[in-house]
Structures are given as C-alpha cells and as structure tokens.
Amino acid sequence: MTTKFERFAALHVPGDPLILFNVWDAGSATVAEKAGASAIATGSASVATAHGYSDAEALPLDLALANAARVVKATSLPVSIDFEGGYSPDPYAAAANAAKLAATGAIGCNFEDQVIASPKTMHDTKDQAARIAAIRWEVGPNFFINARTDYFLIAKPPEHDEALAEAAIARGLAYAEAGASGFFVPGIADLRLLERICKAVPLPVNFMAYPGCPDAKSVASAGAARISHGPFPHMAALKAFEDAARAAFSG
C-alpha cells in the first residue's frame, strides 16, 4: 500500500503535470476533491484572507497549523500546505515549525526564499539551502519540500531574461542538493525560460497559473510537472460572492 506522500510524489510527472486548484479551508478542500482533484494544496494568501489576515505570515502560526489539520481531516487526498518561509529565518526554528506541520498529517509544503520581514529581498542561496537541509533532517524523507524561488515575482517582466533563468537554475541546483523535493518558480511567463529551467534542475518544476497565462497544455510541453493556481481560486470565489451579494442587496 502506498502512502499519501508516495502518491503525491508520483503525481509529479514532467509533461503531464499535477494540477492543484488551491484551497483555503476544509470546506474548499472537500469541494476540490468532489470536483476531481488528485491532491490538495493551500495558498497562503487565500488562507490568510479567509481568516482576516494579510499574507506574509501575519496569520498566527497556531492558526495556520490548526487550519492545516482541519484541511487534512476533511479529505482523503494528500495535502500540501503553503508554509511561506517557515515562520522563522532561523534554520532550526523553521525546521521545528515544519515538523509541527508534518504532525498535522500534511505530506508536504511550499517553502519560499523571499525574506518575509523584508519584502522583495531574498535569503542568500547558501542560507536558504541550509534552511531546506534543516527541514529535511527534521521531517525525514517522506515529506515533499517544494522549494520556491521568488526571482520571477520580484523582478519586473522586462527583467525576465536568460540571466534571471540562470540565477534561478543555480538556486534550483542548490535546493536539490539540500534535500528539496520540487522547485517552484511562480511569476514566470516565458515558456522558453521555463523549459530551460525544467531541463537544468533535477527536480519536478512547479508553474503557477494566473489569469492570461499560457495554457496548461503549453506549460506541460515546456516540461512542468506541477501547475498551481495560487490565490486566484479564492479571489474568484470572493468575486462571485460579492457579485451575488450586490445583486441581492440591489434587488
């Protein structure tokens, strides 16, 4: 019998990517499962907004863990949690927090290299690799660490070039050596650069879909093994709610 972690890891196939329509609570997780999801993943911005907080770890850690536990309990599918920067820049504290997350039953997490306390800056590559290595040591081998680099979120679109792709690749190689399970490059739009990263980094690569982005088939052809939808499902749900409320109030 395969574990949820093994099922989740096996779903990451370059060219035939796992589709994650990100949820924010137990209720949305059950809806995603009913709709045909193969796995469940949260988005930190969506979870924070749903609880009345801003993103960037403003959501208290205890509440983040409690919400993760409720999501895990609500579905039979593997669950990955967007854990931002691990709620600490210190490798050992972040690793201890990741262990608490694993104890909820989550089989993986996103872990980003942007400095939470200083937006648009990134941890040094060696420091971030050390944080990943500490988490891997703490949680063991059966936990999917989706190491996120924020180069393409921080840089403006005109700066999305070959040099930036090479910088991302260097991070991907370092993160793979440190024990990451996947490599997440949100914000990338140029499929030539995505393909280059997919070929160079020995990890399944995660693309984030957004309104107006290349279609899933084209992203798959570039070699992506995972497509996440980030905060956009929650944003669409809130917009539908607002439209229905306005119609009710104006009626």
Side-chain angles (χ1 to χ4, degrees):
M1 180 180 296
T2 58
T3 66
K4 286 185 178 181
F5 164 77
E6 290 169 333
R7 286 164 50 197
F8 185 73
L11 290 169
H12 292 74
V13 180
D16 184 20
L18 165 65
I19 305 298
L20 295 171
F21 201 71
N22 297 73
V23 308
W24 52 92
D25 60 9
S28 55
T30 61
V31 172
E33 181 172 12
K34 183 179 179 180
S38 299
I40 299 296
T42 64
S44 65
S46 303
V47 174
T49 301
H51 287 86
Y53 292 90
S54 61
D55 200 13
E57 297 182 2
L59 181 75
L61 176 59
D62 287 348
L63 183 51
L65 294 171
N67 186 66
R70 286 193 292 270
V71 171
V72 169
K73 187 176 180 180
T75 177
S76 63
L77 299 174
V79 173
S80 178
I81 299 295
D82 187 347
F83 208 47
E84 302 192 77
Y87 281 80
S88 176
D90 177 75
Y92 302 105
N97 291 337
K100 293 176 182 177
L101 178 62
T104 69
I107 52 72
C109 72
N110 285 353
F111 184 63
E112 67 191 61
D113 58 13
Q114 187 166 172
V115 179
I116 299 297
S118 180
K120 299 191 180 301
T121 61
M122 294 166 61
H123 291 282
D124 178 80
T125 302
K126 290 183 179 179
D127 291 342
Q128 184 67 3
R131 299 170 78 222
I132 293 168
I135 291 174
R136 175 57 70 207
W137 185 88
E138 187 70 34
V139 300
N142 296 326
F143 190 82
F144 199 102
I145 303 172
N146 197 37
R148 181 180 121 176
T149 188
D150 280 7
Y151 273 126
F152 290 91
L153 286 179
I154 293 173
K156 296 179 180 179
E159 300 169 339
H160 291 192
D161 56 15
E162 299 287 343
L164 197 65
E166 285 302 312
I169 287 168
R171 293 239 171 190
L173 294 173
Y175 298 169
E177 186 175 356
S181 313
F183 189 49
F184 189 15
V185 284
I188 193 169
D190 188 330
L191 295 185
R192 295 178 299 105
L193 299 181
L194 176 63
E195 183 174 10
R196 184 169 181 171
I197 292 169
C198 290
K199 288 180 177 179
V201 176
L203 295 172
V205 174
N206 188 172
F207 175 87
M208 186 173 74
Y210 55 90
C213 75
D215 62 79
K217 184 176 181 180
S218 299
V219 172
S221 295
R226 172 168 167 173
I227 299 176
S228 302
H229 284 255
F232 300 105
H234 185 245
M235 293 167 65
L238 287 183
K239 182 62 167 61
F241 181 88
E242 180 182 357
D243 290 346
R246 289 185 183 278
F249 297 145
S250 64

